[in-house]
Structure formats: C-alpha cells, structure tokens
C-alpha cells in the first residue's frame, strides 16, 4: 500500500482498536497534541500487534484504513519513551510489510534434497 509523501505519525505502544474515527481523532488531539485535520497519516496498533488502523483526512472527510493479520504480527515500537514516532511513507510501507517478510523468512527448510 502506498500513501504518497505525507508525514506519518505512529502511536507507539498499543491502542484500543474499538476506537473509531472520533475516538482516534481525540487521541491525536489530546494525547499527541497534533491536528487530525493535518495532511498526515496517523497509525495505531492493537496490543497483540496483529491489527492496525490508519486515520487520514483528505480535505472533505476522514479515511480509516484497517488491516488484520491472519498470522504473524507487526514489528511495533513500545511506548517506553515517546508517545509518537514520526516516519515517512516508505518507512510506513516497510512496517506494514514487515509481517509478510517475517512470514517468508520463517519458512521451514527443505530436509530432503533429492534429484529425481
């Protein structure tokens, strides 16, 4: 998934995925002191790191993207230091694709090596 060249603000740690657009907007405003109407992407992940939501204002309404992994998890930063982390869109794509890459890398090695 490609998002263009918008700044990306990642919510470190976990977020309650029951929050919809209004709840995530409030989180962006109050917890991060950012404007949810900015030309940016705001990214949230659940406790199990198998679901993400991305909030985006497009000028006349909000988009809420949602991805649920069937296997694996996203490599997500903890909230030990900062509440948010700034990324670019390329780094966001790598983060989203990290679960797919981990799945590819964890394939079991072939034990039989016969040529028929």
């Amino acid at each position: 998934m490609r998002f263009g060249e918008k700044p990306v603000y990642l919510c470190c740690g976990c977020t309650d995925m029951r929050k919809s657009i209004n709840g995530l907007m409030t989180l962006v405003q109050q917890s991060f002191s950012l404007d949810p109407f900015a030309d940016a992407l705001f990214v949230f992940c659940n406790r199990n790191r198998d679901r993400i939501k991305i909030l985006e204002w497009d000028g006349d309404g909000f988009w809420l993207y949602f991805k649920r992994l069937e296997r694996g998890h996203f490599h997500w930063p903890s909230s030990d230091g900062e509440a948010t982390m700034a990324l670019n869109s390329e780094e966001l794509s790598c983060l989203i694709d990290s679960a797919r890459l981990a799945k590819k890398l964890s394939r079991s090695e072939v034990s039989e090596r016969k040529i028929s």
Side-chain angles (χ1 to χ4, degrees):
M1 181 175 248
R2 301 288 177 227
F3 293 102
E5 292 304 316
K6 293 184 176 200
V8 177
Y9 297 98
L10 194 85
C11 176
C12 297
C14 61
T15 302
D16 183 354
M17 286 290 116
R18 294 175 293 181
K19 292 185 185 295
S20 61
I21 291 172
N22 291 344
L24 295 174
M25 284 175 58
T26 301
L27 189 62
V28 168
Q29 285 178 320
Q30 294 177 355
S31 298
F32 308 150
S33 301
L34 296 171
D35 180 11
F37 295 96
D39 191 25
L41 302 171
F42 302 97
V43 189
F44 308 89
C45 188
N46 69 334
R47 184 177 309 281
N48 292 333
R49 298 179 304 155
D50 62 351
R51 296 171 187 188
I52 61 169
K53 285 186 177 180
I54 301 172
L55 182 67
E56 177 186 26
W57 171 255
D58 73 356
D60 63 358
F62 280 96
W63 282 96
L64 185 61
Y65 305 96
F66 179 77
K67 178 154 182 142
R68 180 186 76 191
L69 296 176
E70 295 301 318
R71 287 192 204 125
H73 62 272
F74 297 104
H75 297 280
W76 207 260
S78 66
S79 60
D80 294 339
E82 297 292 320
T84 61
M85 178 184 287
L87 303 175
N88 62 38
S89 57
E90 184 177 324
E91 291 168 325
L92 175 60
S93 293
C94 290
L95 183 71
I96 291 171
D97 292 337
S98 67
R100 187 176 303 130
L101 178 61
K103 184 178 170 187
K104 271 186 180 179
L105 293 175
S106 69
R107 288 187 201 165
S108 58
E109 190 173 322
V110 177
S111 58
E112 287 189 43
R113 297 181 183 218
K114 292 182 182 180
I115 301 175
S116 42

